[in-house]
Amino acid sequence: MNNDTISLLQECSAGANMAMSAIDQVLEGVENPALRDALTESRRVHDRIGGETRSLLRAQGQEGKAANPVAQSMAWLKKNWKLTVRPGDETVADLIVDGCNMGVKSLTRYQNQYPAASGHARALAGQLIDAEELAPVLSAIQGALQLGMEQTKKVFLTIFLFAHGYASIIANNSLQYDEALIQAHLERA
């Protein structure tokens, strides 16, 4: 396992740990059952991916990386301040979205910073990015429509095709769509 692979896996481990910590900090106060379920599922996904990164690292005699203590402290302060000023599920959702955006930005930067990382490590980073981008959307649709996840993915694909198709036609009078790519993202979510 090369150094880029180890470094990327360590960043994936830190990112998963940060996400789980953020969810743990807000989950108890969430009142909306759909939001609680979405956060619980997101935590489960981050725990699974984090566990896989730690297993791969341990197999190489390496350790997973803890979330940055400064970043965790700042997140804790921000969470407490915002929830004191405006308590409620809307604020929790805003905080989680902000965290997801930071996670996507960081993981994308690390994928570019470690170009020689193995395909497996890059795939795990991609799964974490998907968990930050696509999984919450799917969970919200699933909760709103009371569907199973496979049926939810089919609904999402239909909505995506419709929106993407019209947006492409309007923007440049052409339709570029890669169904295999979208299907791969749905399977990873």
Side-chain angles (χ1 to χ4, degrees), residues 4-19:
D4 276 9
T5 298
I6 291 169
S7 295
L8 183 57
L9 288 172
Q10 287 174 329
E11 295 302 341
C12 288
S13 176
N17 288 336
M18 185 71 181

Side-chain angles (χ1 to χ4, degrees), residues 10 18 38 52 61-62 68 76 120 122 138 154 176 183:
Q10 287 174 329
M18 185 71 181
E52 189 171 345
Q62 301 289 324
N68 182 317
W76 182 85
H120 191 99
R122 296 180 75 69
L138 292 173
K154 289 177 183 175
Q176 299 288 324
Q183 186 63 35

Side-chain angles (χ1 to χ4, degrees), residues 164-175:
H164 182 272
Y166 278 101
S168 294
I169 290 168
I170 291 168
N172 59 16
N173 206 21
S174 68
L175 178 62

Side-chain angles (χ1 to χ4, degrees), residues 25-169:
Q25 288 181 31
V26 298
L27 193 57
E28 185 178 311
V30 172
E31 294 178 12
N32 182 296
L35 179 59
R36 187 180 315 106
D37 291 347
L39 290 173
T40 300
E41 176 61 14
S42 180
R43 191 194 189 293
R44 186 194 64 75
V45 168
H46 283 86
D47 188 39
R48 178 187 57 78
I49 297 168
E52 189 171 345
T53 63
R54 288 186 298 277
S55 292
L56 290 169
L57 287 165
R58 275 194 302 273
Q60 297 298 314
Q62 301 289 324
E63 292 295 320
K65 185 176 175 183
N68 182 317
V70 174
Q72 279 190 306
S73 296
M74 294 301 291
W76 182 85
L77 286 169
K78 180 180 178 179
K79 181 227 14 145
N80 284 319
W81 179 77
K82 283 195 163 203
L83 285 172
T84 298
V85 171
R86 194 179 72 175
D89 288 352
E90 184 178 314
T91 301
V92 169
D94 285 344
L95 289 165
I96 293 296
V97 167
D98 287 348
C100 288
N101 289 337
M102 286 187 282
V104 168
K105 182 179 174 183
S106 295
L107 287 166
T108 301
R109 183 178 65 242
Y110 292 130
Q111 281 186 317
N112 291 324
Q113 186 175 338
Y114 303 117
S118 71
H120 191 99
R122 296 180 75 69
L124 285 171
Q127 287 178 37
L128 274 175
I129 290 169
D130 286 350
E132 303 292 329
E133 292 179 327
L134 189 54
V137 172
L138 292 173
S139 291
I141 293 171
Q142 182 183 27
L145 299 178
Q146 300 296 306
L147 300 173
M149 187 51 79
E150 288 309 310
Q151 198 173 10
T152 301
K153 289 177 181 180
K154 289 177 183 175
V155 168
F156 175 81
L157 186 58
T158 302
I159 294 168
F160 177 83
L161 282 172
F162 181 80
H164 182 272
Y166 278 101
S168 294
I169 290 168

